[in-house]
Amino acid sequence: MKQFTISTQIICLFLCGLCFCQQTNDERYTYKQGDYNGIGKWYLGREIAYVMGYQGIKWLERPEREAEENVSTLLSNMDIQTTDIIADIGAGSGYHVFKMAPLAANGKVYAVDIQPEMLKAITSNNIYKKLNNIKTILGDEKSVNLPENSIDKILMVDVYHEFNYPFEMIMSIKKALKPNGKIYLIEYRGEDETVPIKKVHKMSEAQAVKEMKAAGFKLDENIDNLPWQHCLVFSKS
C-alpha cells in the first residue's frame, strides 16, 4: 500500500508538472494574479473573467434589461433577414434567441452555450416549443461546434470576455462563418467609467480590435447607439 501511494504521488507530480509546462509554453496566454473577478489568465494584456453560471439566469431575464441594453436597437443594428442563419454564442437562457428567431423565420438560429443547464432552459421555454427554427448546440471551451461555412451572423452579448480560450474560440467561429459573414460583438464599454459593470467584465474598442485582428478579423464599424455597450461589427480580413 505504501509503495502504491508513493507511485501515485509520483504520477500526480508528473501530471502536474506536465500541465504547468503546457501552460508556460503557451505563448498566447500568460498567468498571473489580477482582478478578484478574473481567472488569473491573460490574453493580449486583458484578464479573462469568470464565466457567469446558470444560476444567474434570473439576471439574464431581468425586466429592466430592455431599458438598460436597448435590445430592440441591437436587433435593428443586425439587419436580420428572413433567411439568415444566425448563431448566438453564449446564448444563456435564450433572451436574444427568442427575439431573433421570428425575424429569421425562413432561416435558423443556433443557440450555443457551454452549460447544458442553459440549453435546457431554452428547450423548456414555451416560446421554443412554438418555433421550429431554433437549434441548441453544446459548445466547449475551444469550439462553438457549428457546421463549417454555414453562418451569416454571429452574435456575442457580454460573453466574449469570459472565454477561457478566446483565440481558439474566434478561430472556430471564423471556420463556421460564411465568407461574407459578420460578427456582432457586444461588450460593456471599458472606456466609460460610468457604466455600472465590474472592470474585468468590460472591454474597450481598442482591445476588442486587437484581439479580433489576431484571429484574422477587421472592424467594419462600431454602431454607437446602445446605452452601455459597444456594438462592434467584424468581418474576415
Side-chain angles (χ1 to χ4, degrees), residues 96-107:
H96 295 86
V97 168
F98 293 133
K99 296 178 185 299
M100 293 190 293
L103 300 175
N106 298 315

Side-chain angles (χ1 to χ4, degrees), residues 174-231:
K174 187 177 184 180
K175 187 176 181 180
L177 273 176
K178 294 178 181 179
N180 60 344
K182 302 283 187 181
I183 290 177
Y184 291 82
L185 179 64
I186 316 302
E187 289 284 346
Y188 287 105
R189 295 193 296 269
E191 306 91 335
D192 189 348
E193 294 183 0
T194 67
V195 174
I197 298 294
K198 294 173 181 177
K199 183 178 179 180
V200 76
H201 286 280
K202 298 180 182 181
M203 283 192 71
S204 68
E205 176 183 332
Q207 183 67 34
V209 169
K210 182 196 296 185
E211 297 188 25
M212 289 296 170
K213 183 179 180 181
F217 284 89
K218 61 182 177 65
L219 179 67
D220 291 338
E221 60 180 324
N222 183 352
I223 307 176
D224 187 19
N225 59 2
L226 302 180
W228 291 344
Q229 297 154 304
H230 288 299
C231 180

Side-chain angles (χ1 to χ4, degrees), residues 43-184:
Y43 178 56
L44 294 178
R46 174 186 62 86
E47 186 175 14
I48 298 167
Y50 279 108
V51 174
M52 188 188 77
Y54 66 91
Q55 298 87 348
I57 281 180
K58 286 186 177 179
W59 188 80
L60 296 176
E61 297 291 335
R62 65 194 186 281
E64 61 271 24
R65 188 168 186 181
E66 170 63 31
E68 291 176 352
E69 300 183 9
N70 206 339
V71 177
S72 300
T73 297
L74 165 59
L75 298 182
S76 178
N77 291 346
M78 293 181 68
D79 189 27
I80 296 172
Q81 304 298 306
T82 185
T83 56
D84 275 347
I85 309 298
I86 306 169
D88 185 354
I89 311 302
S93 58
Y95 185 85
H96 295 86
V97 168
F98 293 133
K99 296 178 185 299
M100 293 190 293
L103 300 175
N106 298 315
K108 182 179 289 185
V109 177
Y110 288 99
V112 183
D113 209 283
I114 65 171
Q115 299 181 74
E117 295 88 352
M118 291 293 198
L119 300 181
K120 184 177 179 181
I122 292 174
T123 57
S124 62
N125 191 305
N126 287 331
I127 301 175
Y128 172 84
K129 298 170 184 177
K130 295 176 182 178
L131 299 169
N132 60 7
N133 64 334
I134 298 174
K135 181 176 177 60
T136 57
I137 299 286
L138 182 64
D140 58 51
E141 288 189 330
K142 294 186 177 181
S143 176
V144 292
N145 293 334
L146 288 169
E148 185 174 350
N149 193 33
S150 64
I151 308 298
D152 295 299
K153 292 167 182 172
I154 293 277
L155 177 64
M156 290 185 283
V157 179
D158 305 326
V159 66
Y160 172 79
H161 66 273
E162 296 179 352
F163 289 166
N164 278 349
Y165 293 90
F167 178 82
E168 289 81 356
M169 285 291 281
I170 295 302
M171 291 304 291
S172 75
I173 286 173
K174 187 177 184 180
K175 187 176 181 180
L177 273 176
K178 294 178 181 179
N180 60 344
K182 302 283 187 181
I183 290 177
Y184 291 82

